[in-house]
C-alpha cells in the first residue's frame, strides 16, 4: 500500500490519518519557526557584520512589548499543540464499543497471540480488515512494547498487569510489529507481522488450521479443576462472590471504594486476592501466584468474562449491592 | 581600544610571568591542588578522555548500523556498546562538561572571587568523579553492561546477566561529585560576589550556573536513591521494582526520570549560559532582555522538576496523568523560546564578528531550535504514541545534547581558551572544525528524525531493510562529525606551545574574567575588583579607566 508522502509510513489503520495530520501541522508550524528564526540569525549576523563603519554597536532602546509578544505567541502555539495532541490521544485511547479481543503475551523474545476463537499464533497476528481489534497485553518477564508503525499504535507491555490498545486496519496487507521497549539480547529480533485480511479470507483462515478450545472453554475447565467453583458459586451463603455477570460492572469493596471489574481486577484477584476484597466477604481466598501461568490467567479471565448473569432480576444493572454481593 | 584600556587599568603587582599554571610544578601539585582553575583543567583532561571513549562507542554503533543485518557485532556486544555510550556520555561527559570544566574555571573569575567557597570540596568532587569514571572503565574491562543507560526494571534488576551493580554504583558515586559541585556553586554565587556585583549585574553564565546547581543539588539525590534501589533488589531480591517479588516496574521509571529529565537541564542550562556570553561578546552588545534571559534560567530549573512523566506516555500511566504532564511540558519550552528570541535580537544593530566561538554559538541557535521544537512533537500526546522510543527520540535528544550542549561547550572552550592557557588557537582551523561539526552533525542526526517517523525503534542491533538508506547517511555523517571533533584536539594541543600569546582581553569582551591577565594568577585578582557597571555594559567603566590613565 504505497503512501504518496515521502518519509511517512503506510496509513494502515483508522488512527493513522489523524496522527499524520497532527504531525504535518506541527511540521509546518515548527519548520516555519525554525526557518524564520535561523533566517533572522543569518540575516542579522550578515547585516551587522563588524567592518569599518560598524566597529561599535548602535544604541537603541530595547522594547519590553517585544518580550511580551515572544512569551505569549509561543505559549499560545504550544497550547495549541497540547490541545490537538490530546484530541488525537483520546481517539487513540478510547476503546471501541464493540471489538474483537485478542490477547497478547510478550516474552523474551517473541509475541504470542490468542484469538477468542481458540487459535494461537507466534509472532504473526491475523486480523480482519475494517473491524476494531482490541489487544489485551501482558508480559511474562521484562517490559516489552507492542508497536505497529503503520497503525501508529504503541503501548508498553508490562509484566504485572494488562495494558490495552486497539486498532482498526483499513487495508489488507502485511505490517511490521516491533518491540520498542529494550528487552535484552534479541530485542531487535522481537519483531512480527500483522496480516490484515478481507473478512471472508479471515473466516477461511479461522476455519483452517488447528484450533484449541476457546480461551473461555479452557478457562471453564480450569475454573473447575482448580476448585474456584467451590467458593464462587451461585446462591447466597457462598464464601466468595458469584461471578456471573460481574464483568464490566462496578463492585463495592470492603474499603468502601467502588471499582469496575475488568481484566486487571480479575487478574489481581487471582494473584493477590487480599488487595481488593468485595464488601461483605471475608479475606479468605488464597493466592494463586505461581500456580497459574499467564496463559491460564488469560483463560480464567476469558471464562469469567463470558459468564452472563441469570436472565431474571438483572441485578448487575444496579451498582453493586453492598452487603449481599453474593446475590450478584 | 577596549583591550588596551583594560590592560592599562590593571596594574599587575604579582611577580612578572607567574600564573596559576607555572606557580607550582610536578604531578602532585596538580593532584592536590585546591585552585579552582587547576581543578577545571583536571576536569577538562578527564572529560575529554571519556568523551573520546564514548565517541568511539558511537562510531562502532554507527558502523554496525550501516547494514540491516547485525554483522559486525553480536547482539550482546551491540547492546553493551549503546549502554556504555549512553552511560559514559551522559554521566561522565555531558553532566560535568560545562559546569565542572568551564563553570569551575570561570565562575570565581566572573564573580571577582579568589576561588570557590569550598576549594577542598571542589577537589573532592573531582576525585569522586574520577572514582566513578574508573569504576565505569573497570566495568568495560570486565565485560560491560547491557541495560541501556536508563536501567529499566525488571530487566536491570532480574534479567540482565552483566555488571549492573558496579555500573549503578559508578553512577551513584559520580552523582555526589555533581551534588557537591552544585552546592559549592550556590554558596559561591551567594557569598562571594565582588563589591558592587549585584544579582542583576551578574553575567548570564552565572545565572545559568545557579539554575544548574539548584537542579544538581535537588534532583541528583533521587537518582542516587533509584540506582541504589536497583542494587538492593538485584543483590538481595527485595521486591521493589520486580512484580514477581511484589514490586512495580513503573515506579523505577518515575524515580529515574525525576532526576533524568531535570538532568537534561543540567546539561543545557550552563550551555545556554555560555551562548549568552559568546553572543554578547561577538556582537558587542548587552544581551537583549537581560532580566528575561536570567529569570528564564530559573524558570527552566523549576519547571524541569514538574514534567518527568512525559517519558511515560505509553508506559501505562493513566490518560489524565498523561494529559497533565503533556500540558506542563509545553510550559518549559517557553523560557527556552525567550532565550532564543533574545539571543537573535542581540545581533540587531550589533557589531558582529565571526570568530570560531561565535560560529558555534550561531550554530547552537539553529540546532537548539530543531532540538527544542522536536521536543514539542514528543510532548504532543497524539504524536508521541507513534514516535515514542523510536529514532525520532534519539534524533531529538542528540540535537539537544550534541547539537546544542557540545556546540556550546566547544564555543566556551574556544572563547575562554586564551584565558585558560594564555595562548590563542589557530582561528581558521577552528572555523573549519566548527563547519565540519555542523555539517557532520546534521547529516548524522537529521535522517534519524525521518527513520523515527517511519517507525524504526531505538536500540535495534538489526533492522528491516527498508531503513537502510537513511542509516547509511547517518553513518556517513558520523564520520564527518568524528573528524570535526578530532581536529580541535589536535590544534589545541599544538596551540599550547606554538600559538601566539593572548592578551588579558583578546576579544574585547566584558566580564570580570577579562580584567585579569591571561592566564590568571593563582589568586585571580591582585585587588578585589569593584563593579560599577551593568552586565555587558562596561563602557562606563572603560571611560572611567581612560580618564585615570
Amino acid at each position: 500500500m504505497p503512501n504518496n508522502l515521502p518519509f511517512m509510513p503506510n496509513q494502515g489503520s483508522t488512527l493513522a490519518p489523524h496522527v499524520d495530520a497532527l504531525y504535518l501541522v506541527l511540521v509546518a508550524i515548527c519548520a516555519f519557526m525554525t526557518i524564520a528564526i535561523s533566517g533572522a540569525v543569518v540575516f542579522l549576523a550578515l547585516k551587522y557584520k563588524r567592518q569599518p563603519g560598524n566597529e561599535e554597536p548602535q544604541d537603541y532602546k530595547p522594547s519590553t512589548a517585544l518580550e511580551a509578544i515572544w512569551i505569549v505567541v509561543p505559549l499560545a502555539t504550544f497550547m495549541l499543540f497540547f490541545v490537538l495532541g490530546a484530541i488525537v490521544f483520546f481517539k487513540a485511547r478510547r476503546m471501541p464499543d464493540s471489538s474483537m479481543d485478542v490477547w497478547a503475551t510478550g516474552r523474551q523474545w517473541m509475541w504470542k497471540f490468542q484469538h477468542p476463537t481458540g487459535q494461537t499464533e507466534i509472532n504473526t497476528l491475523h486480523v480482519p480488515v475494517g473491524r476494531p481489534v482490541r489487544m489485551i497485553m501482558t508480559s511474562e518477564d521484562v517490559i516489552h512494547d507492542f508497536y505497529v508503525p503503520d497503525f501508529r499504535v504503541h503501548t508498553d507491555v508490562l509484566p504485572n498487569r494488562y495494558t490495552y490498545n486497539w486498532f482498526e486496519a483499513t487495508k489488507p496487507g502485511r505490517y511490521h510489529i516491533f518491540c520498542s521497549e529494550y528487552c535484552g539480547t534479541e530485542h531487535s529480533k522481537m519483531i512480527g507481522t500483522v496480516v490484515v485480511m478481507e473478512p471472508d479470507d479471515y473466516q477461511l483462515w479461522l476455519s483452517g488450521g488447528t484450533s484449541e478450545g476457546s480461551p473461555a472453554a479452557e478457562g471453564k475447565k480450569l475454573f473447575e479443576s482448580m476448585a474456584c467453583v467451590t467458593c464462587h458459586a451461585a446462591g447466597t451463603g457462598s464464601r466468595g462472590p458469584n461471578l456471573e455477570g460481574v464483568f464490566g460492572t462496578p463492585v463495592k469493596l470492603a474499603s468502601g471504594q467502588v471499582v469496575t471489574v475488568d481484566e486487571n481486577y480479575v487478574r489481581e484477584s487471582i494473584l493477590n486476592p487480599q488487595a481488593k476484597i468485595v464488601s461483605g466477604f471475608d479475606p479468605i481466598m488464597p493466592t494463586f501466584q505461581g500456580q497459574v501461568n499467564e496463559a491460564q490467567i488469560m483463560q480464567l479471565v476469558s471464562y469469567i468474562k463470558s459468564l452472563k448473569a441469570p436472565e431474571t432480576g438483572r441485578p448487575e444493572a444496579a451498582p453493586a449491592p453492598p452487603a449481599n454481593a453474593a446475590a450478584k | 581600544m577596549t583591550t588596551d584600556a583594560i590592560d592599562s587599568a590593571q596594574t599587575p603587582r604579582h611577580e612578572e610571568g607567574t600564573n596559576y599554571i607555572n606557580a607550582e610544578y610536578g604531578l602532585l601539585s596538580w593532584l592536590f591542588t585546591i585552585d579552582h582553575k587547576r581543578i577545571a583543567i583536571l576536569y577538562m583532561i578527564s572529560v575529554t578522555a571519556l568523551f573520546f571513549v564514548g565517541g568511539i562507542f558511537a562510531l562502532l554503533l554507527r558502523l554496525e548500523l550501516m547494514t540491516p543485518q547485525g554483522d559486525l557485532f553480536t547482539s550482546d556486544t551491540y547492546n553493551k556498546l549503546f549502554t556504555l555510550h549512553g552511560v559514559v556520555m551522559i554521566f561522565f561527559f555531558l553532566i560535568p562538561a560545562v559546569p565542572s570544566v568551564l563553570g569551575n574555571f570561570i565562575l570565581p573569575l566572573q564573580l571577582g572571587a579568589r576561588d570557590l567557597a569550598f576549594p577542598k570540596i571542589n577537589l573532592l568532587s573531582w576525585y569522586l568523579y574520577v572514582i566513578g569514571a574508573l569504576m565505569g572503565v573497570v566495568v568495560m574491562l570486565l565485560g560491560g553492561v547491557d541495560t541501556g543507560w536508563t536501567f529499566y526494571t525488571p530487566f536491570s534488576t532480574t534479567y540482565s546477566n552483566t555488571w549492573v551493580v558496579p555500573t549503578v554504583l559508578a553512577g551513584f558515586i559520580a552523582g555526589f561529585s555533581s551534588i557537591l559541585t552544585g552546592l559549592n556553586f550556590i554558596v559561591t554565587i551567594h557569598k562571594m560576589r565582588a563589591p558592587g556585583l549585584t544579582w542583576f549585574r551578574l553575567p548570564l553564565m552565572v545565572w545559568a550556573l545557579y539554575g544548574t546547581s539548584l537542579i544538581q543539588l535537588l534532583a541528583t539525590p533521587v537518582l542516587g536513591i533509584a540506582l541504589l534501589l536497583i542494587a538492593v533488589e538485584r543483590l538481595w531480591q527485595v521486591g521493589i521494582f520486580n512484580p514477581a517479588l511484589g514490586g512495580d516496574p513503573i515506579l523505577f521509571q518515575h524515580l529515574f526520570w525525576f532526576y533524568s529529565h531535570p538532568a537534561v537541564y543540567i546539561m543545557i542550562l550552563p550551555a545556554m549560559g555560555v551562548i549568552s556570553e559568546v553572543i554578547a561578546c561577538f556582537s558587542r552588545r548587552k544581551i537583549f532582555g537581560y532580566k528575561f534571559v536570567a529569570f528564564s534560567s530559573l524558570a527552566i530549573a523549576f519547571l524541569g522538576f514538574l514534567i518527568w512523566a512525559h517519558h511515560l506516555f505509553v508506559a501505562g500511566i493513566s490518560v489524565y496523568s498523561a494529559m497533565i504532564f503533556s500540558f506542563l511540558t509545553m510550559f518549559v519550552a517557553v523560557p527556552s523560546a525567550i532565550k532564543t528570541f533574545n539571543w537573535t535580537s542581540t545581533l540587531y544593530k550589533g557589531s558582529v564578528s565571526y570568530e570560531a566561538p561565535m560560529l558555534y554559538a550561531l550554530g547552537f541557535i539553529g540546532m537548539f531550535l530543531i532540538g527544542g521544537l522536536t521536543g514539542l512533537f514528543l510532548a504532543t500526546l497524539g504524536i508521541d504514541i507513534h514516535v515514542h522510543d523510536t529514532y525520532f527520540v534519539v534524533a531529538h535528544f542528540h540535537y539537544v545534547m550534541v547539537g546544542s550542549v557540545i556546540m556550546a561547550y566547544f564555543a566556551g572552550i574556544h572563547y575562554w581558551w586564551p584565558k585558560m592557557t594564555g595562548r590563542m588557537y589557530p582561528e581558521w582551523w577552528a572555523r573549519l572544525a566548527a563547519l565540519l561539526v555542523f555539517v557532520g552533525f546534521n547529516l548524522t542526526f537529521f535522517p534519524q528524525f525521518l527513520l523515527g517517523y517511519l517507525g524504526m525503534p531505538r536500540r535495534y542491533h538489526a533492522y528491516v531493510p527498508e531503513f537502510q538508506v537513511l542509516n547509511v547517511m547517518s553513518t556517513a555523517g558520523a564520520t564527518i562529525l568524528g573528524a570535526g571533533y578530532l581536529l580541535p584536539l589536535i590544534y589545541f594541543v599544538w596551540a599550547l606551545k606554538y600559538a601566539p600569546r593572548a592578551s588579558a582581553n583578546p576579544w574585547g569582551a566584558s566580564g570580570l574574567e577579562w580584567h585579569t591577565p591571561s592566564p590568571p594568577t593563582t589568586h585571580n585578582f591582585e585587588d578585589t575588583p569593584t563593579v560599577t557597571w551593568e552586565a555587558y555594559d562596561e563602557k562606563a567603566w572603560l571611560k572611567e579607566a581612560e580618564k585615570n590613565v
Side-chain angles (χ1 to χ4, degrees):
Chain A
M1 268 47 59
N3 195 303
N4 292 329
L5 290 166
F7 304 118
M8 304 272 277
N10 291 319
Q11 293 184 338
S13 71
T14 50
L15 180 66
H18 298 288
V19 175
D20 287 354
L22 176 63
Y23 173 71
L24 291 174
V25 167
L26 262 74
V27 167
I29 294 173
C30 293
F32 171 75
M33 287 164 90
T34 307
I35 292 167
I37 298 170
S38 309
V41 167
V42 172
F43 172 77
L44 292 172
L46 292 174
K47 176 146 195 248
Y48 296 103
K49 184 176 185 295
R50 187 172 307 161
Q51 55 197 353
N54 190 31
E55 289 285 356
E56 291 304 317
Q58 306 158 41
D59 266 334
Y60 69 98
K61 192 114 189 83
S63 127
T64 316
L66 217 48
E67 297 283 350
I69 290 170
W70 61 54
I71 292 172
V72 172
V73 172
L75 183 62
T77 314
F78 303 159
M79 284 299 118
L80 176 74
F81 292 176
F82 163 71
V83 171
L84 296 176
I87 291 170
V88 174
F89 188 62
F90 273 147
K91 243 186 248 305
R93 284 295 177 88
R94 232 192 93 131
M95 297 297 151
D97 293 333
S98 70
S99 62
M100 174 183 132
D101 283 357
V102 175
W103 299 78
T105 311
R107 73 155 172 260
Q108 288 178 324
W109 291 277
M110 53 171 273
W111 294 103
K112 189 176 169 191
F113 301 107
Q114 168 79 58
H115 291 261
T117 43
Q119 283 82 359
T120 58
E121 304 183 75
I122 304 285
N123 288 345
T124 306
L125 172 63
H126 288 79
V127 294
V129 74
R131 181 156 172 212
V133 176
R134 188 172 70 136
M135 310 285 299
I136 307 165
M137 306 180 293
T138 190
S139 160
E140 291 186 1
D141 38 48
V142 300
I143 301 175
H144 300 282
D145 186 293
F146 181 84
Y147 178 35
V148 183
D150 292 334
F151 296 170
R152 317 291 186 271
V153 157
H154 207 142
T155 304
D156 278 6
V157 176
L158 302 173
N160 59 338
R161 58 188 161 111
Y162 294 116
T163 52
Y164 305 85
N165 65 29
W166 73 276
F167 57 84
E168 183 183 328
T170 52
K171 292 173 217 163
R174 299 170 66 85
Y175 303 95
H176 295 298
I177 303 168
F178 294 132
C179 173
S180 91
E181 184 65 66
Y182 174 67
C183 59
T185 308
E186 302 284 319
H187 168 55
S188 68
K189 307 237 171 74
M190 192 167 162
I191 61 182
T193 309
V194 183
V195 181
V196 177
M197 309 172 96
E198 294 291 354
D200 292 346
D201 296 337
Y202 179 68
Q203 286 308 323
L204 215 63
W205 177 82
L206 278 182
S207 57
T210 52
S211 151
E212 299 159 31
S214 75
E218 293 297 312
K220 184 173 195 303
K221 287 185 210 157
L222 276 174
F223 199 74
E224 285 156 6
S225 67
M226 301 194 87
C228 312
V229 69
T230 56
C231 296
H232 294 284
T236 41
S238 284
R239 278 169 289 182
N242 175 16
L243 301 178
E244 286 173 358
V246 294
F247 197 91
T249 64
V251 293
K252 192 171 177 204
L253 303 181
S255 63
Q257 199 190 350
V258 175
V259 297
T260 301
V261 179
D262 60 7
E263 288 89 352
N264 270 321
Y265 177 70
V266 177
R267 178 196 166 84
E268 185 184 40
S269 300
I270 295 170
L271 297 177
N272 184 13
Q274 315 300 334
K276 292 183 182 128
I277 297 287
V278 175
S279 165
F281 290 94
D282 293 326
I284 52 171
M285 178 170 157
T287 174
F288 284 79
Q289 181 103 44
Q291 297 177 53
V292 285
N293 62 29
E294 282 299 339
Q296 291 170 322
I297 298 172
M298 181 265 295
Q299 289 162 348
L300 283 168
V301 175
S302 299
Y303 171 62
I304 291 164
K305 225 168 143 176
S306 73
L307 290 173
K308 294 281 172 285
E311 279 307 306
T312 51
R314 305 277 305 158
E316 87 275 28
N324 59 339
K328 290 166 46 138
Chain B
M1 190 60 217
T2 334
T3 319
D4 299 337
I6 288 174
D7 277 347
S8 56
Q10 199 76 31
T11 36
R13 269 181 277 122
H14 60 85
E15 205 179 312
E16 206 52 52
T18 19
N19 55 52
Y20 81 97
I21 300 172
N22 62 17
E24 284 181 281
Y25 286 98
L27 186 64
L28 289 182
S29 78
W30 283 88
L31 291 180
F32 293 104
T33 181
I34 51 168
D35 181 346
H36 69 99
K37 300 180 289 302
R38 286 185 156 219
I39 294 171
I41 301 296
L42 293 176
Y43 266 116
M44 188 200 261
I45 295 166
S46 22
V47 305
T48 304
L50 283 153
F51 173 67
F52 282 99
V53 171
I56 288 166
F57 290 144
L59 276 177
L60 293 175
L61 293 171
R62 285 311 325 164
L63 274 180
E64 170 64 79
L65 293 172
M66 269 176 76
T67 53
Q69 66 279 17
D71 35 21
L72 194 56
F73 305 112
T74 63
S75 295
D76 277 326
T77 308
Y78 181 86
N79 295 344
K80 287 173 184 172
L81 283 173
F82 75 66
T83 302
L84 290 169
H85 168 68
V87 169
V88 167
M89 285 302 202
I90 290 170
F91 293 121
F92 299 112
F93 176 72
L94 287 163
I95 287 181
V98 185
S100 297
V101 178
L102 298 174
N104 232 326
F105 196 98
I106 237 60
L107 178 66
L109 289 170
Q110 288 193 323
L111 296 178
R114 281 189 155 195
D115 207 311
L116 288 176
F118 308 112
K120 287 175 187 160
I121 288 182
N122 195 23
L123 183 64
L124 176 64
S125 293
W126 182 71
Y127 274 102
L128 288 171
Y129 166 82
V130 169
I131 292 168
L134 286 178
M135 280 183 74
V137 171
V138 168
V139 167
M140 288 172 213
L141 297 177
L142 285 174
V145 59
D146 73 343
T147 56
W149 81 278
T150 47
F151 305 109
Y152 269 22
T153 56
F155 181 74
S156 63
T157 55
T158 309
Y159 292 86
S160 172
N161 293 315
T162 55
W163 299 92
V164 177
V165 172
T167 311
V168 296
L169 290 180
F172 180 79
I173 292 168
F176 278 92
S177 160
S178 192
I179 293 170
L180 293 178
T181 300
L183 178 74
N184 219 338
F185 282 11
I186 289 174
V187 176
T188 307
I189 296 169
H190 272 280
K191 306 304 288 183
M192 297 181 65
R193 303 191 309 275
L197 190 54
T198 59
W199 283 90
F200 291 120
R201 287 177 177 176
L202 288 173
L204 288 162
M205 178 74 179
V206 178
W207 280 95
L209 285 171
Y210 189 76
T212 309
S213 302
L214 287 175
I215 307 172
Q216 286 180 304
L217 192 63
L218 297 175
T220 317
V222 181
L223 175 76
I225 292 164
L227 293 179
L228 220 49
L229 289 177
I230 285 187
V232 167
E233 178 163 297
R234 210 177 149 84
L235 293 174
W236 296 292
Q237 278 75 52
V238 179
I240 303 161
F241 304 124
N242 184 359
L245 301 169
D248 184 352
I250 302 296
L251 172 65
F252 176 78
Q253 297 180 23
H254 283 288
L255 291 175
F256 180 81
W257 290 113
F258 187 81
Y259 166 76
S260 295
H261 193 76
V264 176
Y265 302 112
I266 296 180
M267 307 171 205
I268 194 72
L269 264 180
M272 291 166 155
V274 173
I275 297 304
S276 296
E277 297 299 301
V278 170
I279 288 182
C281 165
F282 292 97
S283 54
R284 292 201 170 158
R285 279 210 79 84
K286 211 179 147 156
I287 286 285
F288 194 96
Y290 169 91
K291 282 192 186 177
F292 289 91
V293 178
F295 280 117
S296 65
S297 288
L298 297 188
I300 288 173
F302 172 71
L303 290 168
F305 279 100
L306 306 179
I307 58 181
W308 75 91
H310 67 209
H311 295 266
L312 278 69
F313 287 158
V314 305
I317 62 172
S318 76
V319 171
Y320 294 102
S321 62
M323 297 270 288
I324 287 167
F325 280 100
S326 170
F327 179 72
L328 290 172
T329 303
M330 297 299 172
F331 282 91
V332 83
V334 175
S336 301
I338 293 171
K339 284 183 192 276
T340 307
F341 286 120
N342 282 307
W343 290 324
T344 307
S345 310
T346 302
L347 302 173
Y348 176 67
K349 294 198 172 180
S351 167
V352 183
S353 64
Y354 315 135
E355 279 84 0
M358 188 61 163
L359 294 185
Y360 279 112
L362 298 178
F364 171 99
I365 297 179
M367 299 303 90
F368 181 67
L369 267 170
I370 297 177
L373 289 170
T374 51
L376 293 169
F377 282 63
L378 294 166
T380 302
L381 290 163
I383 296 177
D384 189 65
I385 54 171
H386 175 48
V387 293
H388 177 85
D389 263 338
T390 66
Y391 264 83
F392 193 93
V393 178
V394 176
H396 154 69
F397 70 70
H398 280 87
Y399 263 83
V400 177
M401 294 183 190
V402 184
S404 310
V405 178
I406 300 185
M407 286 271 220
Y409 177 68
F410 273 52
I413 290 285
H414 285 84
Y415 178 56
W416 284 302
W417 180 261
K419 185 54 60 187
M420 295 171 115
T421 65
R423 302 257 182 189
M424 300 304 289
Y425 57 83
E427 188 59 51
W428 281 101
W429 283 108
R431 287 175 179 170
L432 175 67
L435 185 71
L436 283 179
V437 166
F438 187 82
V439 171
F441 172 79
N442 281 292
L443 185 56
T444 310
F445 292 103
F446 200 82
Q448 295 184 4
F449 283 122
L450 306 174
L451 277 173
Y453 201 78
L454 284 170
M456 179 166 165
R458 61 192 288 206
R459 297 173 168 177
Y460 260 33
H461 173 224
Y463 54 86
V464 293
E466 55 256 42
F467 297 144
Q468 189 175 8
V469 175
L470 289 165
N471 270 296
V472 170
M473 285 169 70
S474 183
T475 302
T479 52
I480 300 175
L481 187 59
Y485 286 148
L486 214 50
L487 201 51
L489 183 70
I490 297 166
Y491 65 68
F492 275 139
V493 172
W494 175 89
L496 283 177
K497 207 165 158 67
Y498 302 105
R501 290 192 185 277
S503 65
N505 188 0
W507 309 123
S510 48
L512 285 178
E513 74 266 35
W514 305 105
H515 292 212
T516 183
S518 305
T521 57
T522 302
H523 292 310
N524 295 349
F525 299 94
E526 288 302 310
D527 300 303
T528 302
T530 302
V531 178
T532 53
W533 58 90
E534 300 305 307
Y536 308 109
D537 197 13
E538 290 173 49
K539 268 177 271 161
W541 178 81
L542 289 170
K543 281 199 193 97
E544 200 68 22
E546 272 161 24
K547 254 187 273 166
N548 293 340
V549 171

